[in-house]
Short mmCIF file of all heavy atoms in Angstrom, two decimals:
data_model
loop_
_atom_site.label_atom_id
_atom_site.label_comp_id
_atom_site.label_asym_id
_atom_site.label_seq_id
_atom_site.Cartn_x
_atom_site.Cartn_y
_atom_site.Cartn_z
N LEU A 1296 37.11 -17.36 -39.21
CA LEU A 1296 37.07 -16.55 -38.06
C LEU A 1296 35.84 -15.58 -38.05
O LEU A 1296 35.23 -15.35 -36.97
CB LEU A 1296 38.28 -15.71 -37.90
CG LEU A 1296 39.57 -16.59 -37.65
CD1 LEU A 1296 40.81 -15.63 -37.61
CD2 LEU A 1296 39.40 -17.36 -36.38
N ASP A 1297 35.49 -15.08 -39.24
CA ASP A 1297 34.35 -14.21 -39.42
C ASP A 1297 33.24 -14.94 -39.99
O ASP A 1297 33.00 -15.15 -41.19
CB ASP A 1297 34.82 -13.09 -40.40
CG ASP A 1297 33.71 -12.12 -40.48
OD1 ASP A 1297 32.65 -12.17 -39.89
OD2 ASP A 1297 33.88 -11.05 -41.25
N ARG A 1298 32.32 -15.43 -39.17
CA ARG A 1298 31.16 -16.29 -39.50
C ARG A 1298 30.22 -15.34 -40.39
O ARG A 1298 29.51 -15.93 -41.14
CB ARG A 1298 30.51 -16.89 -38.23
CG ARG A 1298 31.36 -17.95 -37.69
CD ARG A 1298 30.42 -18.73 -36.70
NE ARG A 1298 31.20 -19.88 -36.06
CZ ARG A 1298 31.25 -21.06 -36.67
NH1 ARG A 1298 30.55 -21.31 -37.73
NH2 ARG A 1298 31.92 -21.88 -36.06
N ARG A 1299 30.18 -14.14 -40.14
CA ARG A 1299 29.21 -13.24 -40.84
C ARG A 1299 29.54 -13.25 -42.26
O ARG A 1299 28.78 -13.33 -43.21
CB ARG A 1299 29.19 -11.90 -40.29
CG ARG A 1299 28.31 -10.92 -40.97
CD ARG A 1299 28.10 -9.64 -40.23
NE ARG A 1299 26.96 -8.79 -40.83
CZ ARG A 1299 27.21 -7.84 -41.58
NH1 ARG A 1299 28.50 -7.50 -41.83
NH2 ARG A 1299 26.30 -7.06 -42.19
N ALA A 1300 30.91 -13.15 -42.59
CA ALA A 1300 31.47 -13.18 -43.91
C ALA A 1300 31.13 -14.48 -44.58
O ALA A 1300 30.83 -14.53 -45.83
CB ALA A 1300 32.91 -12.85 -43.98
N ALA A 1301 31.34 -15.54 -43.92
CA ALA A 1301 30.94 -16.75 -44.50
C ALA A 1301 29.47 -16.92 -44.79
O ALA A 1301 29.07 -17.59 -45.76
CB ALA A 1301 31.42 -18.01 -43.51
N ALA A 1302 28.64 -16.53 -43.88
CA ALA A 1302 27.14 -16.57 -44.19
C ALA A 1302 26.87 -15.69 -45.39
O ALA A 1302 26.06 -16.03 -46.29
CB ALA A 1302 26.47 -15.96 -43.01
N VAL A 1303 27.43 -14.49 -45.50
CA VAL A 1303 27.16 -13.62 -46.69
C VAL A 1303 27.68 -14.39 -47.94
O VAL A 1303 27.10 -14.27 -49.05
CB VAL A 1303 27.86 -12.26 -46.48
CG1 VAL A 1303 27.93 -11.49 -47.80
CG2 VAL A 1303 27.17 -11.52 -45.30
N ALA A 1304 28.86 -14.92 -47.91
CA ALA A 1304 29.33 -15.68 -49.01
C ALA A 1304 28.43 -16.77 -49.46
O ALA A 1304 28.18 -17.12 -50.60
CB ALA A 1304 30.78 -16.24 -48.80
N LEU A 1305 27.83 -17.64 -48.55
CA LEU A 1305 26.91 -18.60 -48.69
C LEU A 1305 25.67 -18.06 -49.48
O LEU A 1305 25.20 -18.66 -50.36
CB LEU A 1305 26.60 -19.34 -47.43
CG LEU A 1305 25.56 -20.48 -47.62
CD1 LEU A 1305 26.10 -21.56 -48.57
CD2 LEU A 1305 25.18 -21.04 -46.33
N LEU A 1306 25.15 -17.03 -48.89
CA LEU A 1306 23.93 -16.43 -49.38
C LEU A 1306 24.31 -15.88 -50.85
O LEU A 1306 23.36 -16.13 -51.74
CB LEU A 1306 23.30 -15.33 -48.57
CG LEU A 1306 22.80 -15.75 -47.18
CD1 LEU A 1306 22.59 -14.51 -46.32
CD2 LEU A 1306 21.57 -16.52 -47.34
N GLN A 1307 25.27 -15.37 -51.11
CA GLN A 1307 25.71 -14.87 -52.40
C GLN A 1307 25.78 -16.00 -53.39
O GLN A 1307 25.43 -15.85 -54.54
CB GLN A 1307 27.02 -14.03 -52.34
CG GLN A 1307 27.29 -13.38 -53.81
CD GLN A 1307 26.16 -12.38 -54.09
OE1 GLN A 1307 25.78 -11.53 -53.30
NE2 GLN A 1307 25.73 -12.48 -55.23
N SER A 1308 26.30 -17.09 -52.92
CA SER A 1308 26.34 -18.34 -53.82
C SER A 1308 25.20 -18.75 -54.14
O SER A 1308 24.83 -19.27 -55.26
CB SER A 1308 27.24 -19.34 -53.18
OG SER A 1308 26.64 -20.06 -52.10
N TRP A 1309 24.17 -18.63 -53.23
CA TRP A 1309 22.71 -19.12 -53.55
C TRP A 1309 22.17 -18.15 -54.56
O TRP A 1309 21.47 -18.59 -55.50
CB TRP A 1309 21.88 -19.16 -52.30
CG TRP A 1309 22.16 -20.21 -51.21
CD1 TRP A 1309 23.03 -21.19 -51.50
CD2 TRP A 1309 21.71 -20.38 -50.03
NE1 TRP A 1309 23.07 -22.04 -50.53
CE2 TRP A 1309 22.31 -21.50 -49.45
CE3 TRP A 1309 20.90 -19.55 -49.26
CZ2 TRP A 1309 22.16 -21.87 -48.27
CZ3 TRP A 1309 20.71 -20.01 -47.90
CH2 TRP A 1309 21.32 -21.13 -47.44
N ILE A 1310 22.36 -16.93 -54.48
CA ILE A 1310 21.78 -15.91 -55.33
C ILE A 1310 22.37 -16.10 -56.75
O ILE A 1310 21.74 -15.96 -57.70
CB ILE A 1310 22.18 -14.41 -54.85
CG1 ILE A 1310 21.35 -14.10 -53.60
CG2 ILE A 1310 21.92 -13.44 -55.82
CD1 ILE A 1310 21.71 -12.90 -52.76
N ASP A 1311 23.76 -16.36 -56.72
CA ASP A 1311 24.33 -16.50 -58.10
C ASP A 1311 23.88 -17.76 -58.85
O ASP A 1311 24.10 -17.81 -59.97
CB ASP A 1311 25.94 -16.77 -57.82
CG ASP A 1311 26.50 -15.36 -57.32
OD1 ASP A 1311 25.89 -14.31 -57.52
OD2 ASP A 1311 27.71 -15.30 -56.76
N THR A 1312 23.38 -18.72 -58.08
CA THR A 1312 23.04 -19.97 -58.71
C THR A 1312 21.46 -20.07 -58.60
O THR A 1312 20.86 -21.15 -58.75
CB THR A 1312 23.60 -21.19 -58.02
OG1 THR A 1312 23.17 -21.20 -56.64
CG2 THR A 1312 25.08 -21.32 -58.15
N ASP A 1313 20.81 -18.95 -58.52
CA ASP A 1313 19.33 -18.84 -58.49
C ASP A 1313 18.73 -19.48 -59.73
O ASP A 1313 19.02 -19.14 -60.86
CB ASP A 1313 18.86 -17.48 -58.24
CG ASP A 1313 17.43 -17.41 -58.13
OD1 ASP A 1313 16.88 -18.36 -57.69
OD2 ASP A 1313 16.82 -16.41 -58.51
N ASP A 1314 17.72 -20.36 -59.51
CA ASP A 1314 17.04 -21.02 -60.68
C ASP A 1314 15.71 -20.27 -60.75
O ASP A 1314 14.81 -20.50 -59.87
CB ASP A 1314 16.91 -22.41 -60.36
CG ASP A 1314 16.32 -23.11 -61.60
OD1 ASP A 1314 15.96 -22.55 -62.59
OD2 ASP A 1314 16.10 -24.42 -61.53
N SER A 1315 15.47 -19.55 -61.74
CA SER A 1315 14.13 -18.76 -62.01
C SER A 1315 12.97 -19.69 -62.06
O SER A 1315 11.84 -19.33 -61.95
CB SER A 1315 14.26 -17.87 -63.06
OG SER A 1315 15.23 -16.96 -62.94
N ASP A 1316 13.21 -20.95 -62.41
CA ASP A 1316 12.20 -21.85 -62.53
C ASP A 1316 11.31 -22.32 -61.20
O ASP A 1316 10.18 -22.63 -61.28
CB ASP A 1316 12.60 -23.37 -63.17
CG ASP A 1316 13.13 -23.09 -64.53
OD1 ASP A 1316 12.65 -22.01 -65.25
OD2 ASP A 1316 13.95 -23.82 -65.07
N ASP A 1317 11.97 -21.87 -59.99
CA ASP A 1317 11.42 -22.16 -58.91
C ASP A 1317 10.58 -21.11 -58.27
O ASP A 1317 10.58 -21.08 -56.87
CB ASP A 1317 12.53 -22.61 -57.83
CG ASP A 1317 13.27 -24.00 -58.20
OD1 ASP A 1317 12.51 -24.75 -58.98
OD2 ASP A 1317 14.31 -24.20 -57.82
N VAL A 1318 10.19 -20.09 -58.92
CA VAL A 1318 9.50 -19.02 -58.39
C VAL A 1318 8.28 -19.40 -57.75
O VAL A 1318 7.94 -18.88 -56.66
CB VAL A 1318 9.05 -18.05 -59.67
CG1 VAL A 1318 8.19 -16.88 -59.18
CG2 VAL A 1318 10.35 -17.45 -60.26
N ASP A 1319 7.46 -20.44 -58.30
CA ASP A 1319 6.22 -20.86 -57.61
C ASP A 1319 6.66 -21.53 -56.08
O ASP A 1319 5.87 -21.23 -55.21
CB ASP A 1319 5.56 -21.78 -58.49
CG ASP A 1319 4.88 -21.26 -59.57
OD1 ASP A 1319 4.61 -19.98 -59.58
OD2 ASP A 1319 4.60 -21.87 -60.57
N THR A 1320 7.69 -22.06 -56.16
CA THR A 1320 8.14 -22.86 -54.89
C THR A 1320 8.56 -21.82 -53.93
O THR A 1320 8.20 -21.83 -52.65
CB THR A 1320 9.34 -23.78 -55.21
OG1 THR A 1320 9.00 -24.78 -56.17
CG2 THR A 1320 9.81 -24.39 -53.87
N ASP A 1321 9.16 -20.71 -54.43
CA ASP A 1321 9.67 -19.61 -53.61
C ASP A 1321 8.42 -18.96 -53.03
O ASP A 1321 8.36 -18.75 -51.64
CB ASP A 1321 10.44 -18.51 -54.34
CG ASP A 1321 11.91 -18.99 -54.84
OD1 ASP A 1321 12.30 -20.01 -54.22
OD2 ASP A 1321 12.34 -18.41 -55.63
N TYR A 1322 7.32 -18.68 -53.72
CA TYR A 1322 6.25 -18.14 -53.21
C TYR A 1322 5.49 -18.82 -52.17
O TYR A 1322 5.01 -18.41 -51.16
CB TYR A 1322 5.17 -17.74 -54.44
CG TYR A 1322 5.53 -16.59 -55.22
CD1 TYR A 1322 5.17 -16.60 -56.62
CD2 TYR A 1322 6.17 -15.48 -54.81
CE1 TYR A 1322 5.52 -15.54 -57.47
CE2 TYR A 1322 6.61 -14.44 -55.59
CZ TYR A 1322 6.16 -14.44 -57.02
OH TYR A 1322 6.50 -13.45 -57.73
N ASP A 1323 5.54 -20.23 -52.52
CA ASP A 1323 4.85 -21.15 -51.58
C ASP A 1323 5.59 -21.12 -50.15
O ASP A 1323 5.00 -21.12 -49.08
CB ASP A 1323 4.91 -22.60 -52.09
CG ASP A 1323 3.92 -22.85 -53.12
OD1 ASP A 1323 3.06 -21.93 -53.34
OD2 ASP A 1323 4.16 -23.82 -53.84
N LEU A 1324 6.96 -21.02 -50.22
CA LEU A 1324 7.75 -20.89 -49.05
C LEU A 1324 7.51 -19.64 -48.20
O LEU A 1324 7.28 -19.60 -47.04
CB LEU A 1324 9.30 -21.13 -49.41
CG LEU A 1324 10.21 -20.82 -48.22
CD1 LEU A 1324 9.97 -21.92 -47.13
CD2 LEU A 1324 11.64 -20.87 -48.66
N PHE A 1325 7.50 -18.48 -49.02
CA PHE A 1325 7.33 -17.16 -48.33
C PHE A 1325 5.87 -17.16 -47.76
O PHE A 1325 5.63 -16.60 -46.68
CB PHE A 1325 7.49 -16.12 -49.41
CG PHE A 1325 8.88 -15.94 -49.93
CD1 PHE A 1325 8.98 -15.37 -51.29
CD2 PHE A 1325 9.96 -16.24 -49.19
CE1 PHE A 1325 10.26 -15.23 -51.76
CE2 PHE A 1325 11.22 -16.11 -49.71
CZ PHE A 1325 11.40 -15.63 -51.03
N ARG A 1326 4.90 -17.64 -48.39
CA ARG A 1326 3.51 -17.63 -47.97
C ARG A 1326 3.47 -18.47 -46.65
O ARG A 1326 2.84 -18.09 -45.64
CB ARG A 1326 2.57 -18.26 -48.97
CG ARG A 1326 1.11 -18.14 -48.65
CD ARG A 1326 0.19 -18.61 -49.60
NE ARG A 1326 0.33 -17.85 -51.03
CZ ARG A 1326 0.91 -18.20 -52.10
NH1 ARG A 1326 1.30 -19.55 -52.25
NH2 ARG A 1326 0.95 -17.44 -53.12
N ALA A 1327 4.16 -19.70 -46.61
CA ALA A 1327 4.18 -20.69 -45.51
C ALA A 1327 4.80 -20.00 -44.23
O ALA A 1327 4.30 -20.03 -43.13
CB ALA A 1327 4.75 -21.83 -45.77
N ILE A 1328 5.83 -19.26 -44.51
CA ILE A 1328 6.49 -18.61 -43.49
C ILE A 1328 5.66 -17.37 -42.87
O ILE A 1328 5.45 -17.34 -41.65
CB ILE A 1328 7.85 -17.85 -43.85
CG1 ILE A 1328 8.85 -18.97 -44.23
CG2 ILE A 1328 8.45 -16.96 -42.76
CD1 ILE A 1328 10.10 -18.65 -44.81
#
Side-chain angles (χ1 to χ4, degrees):
L1296 292 178
D1297 183 358
R1298 291 195 177 268
R1299 184 170 186 257
V1303 169
L1305 177 61
L1306 291 172
Q1307 187 62 50
S1308 74
W1309 291 348
I1310 291 168
D1311 293 343
T1312 59
D1313 185 30
D1314 187 359
S1315 300
D1316 296 337
D1317 290 338
V1318 171
D1319 291 335
T1320 303
D1321 293 344
Y1322 286 149
D1323 292 343
L1324 174 62
F1325 296 150
R1326 188 177 297 110
I1328 291 171

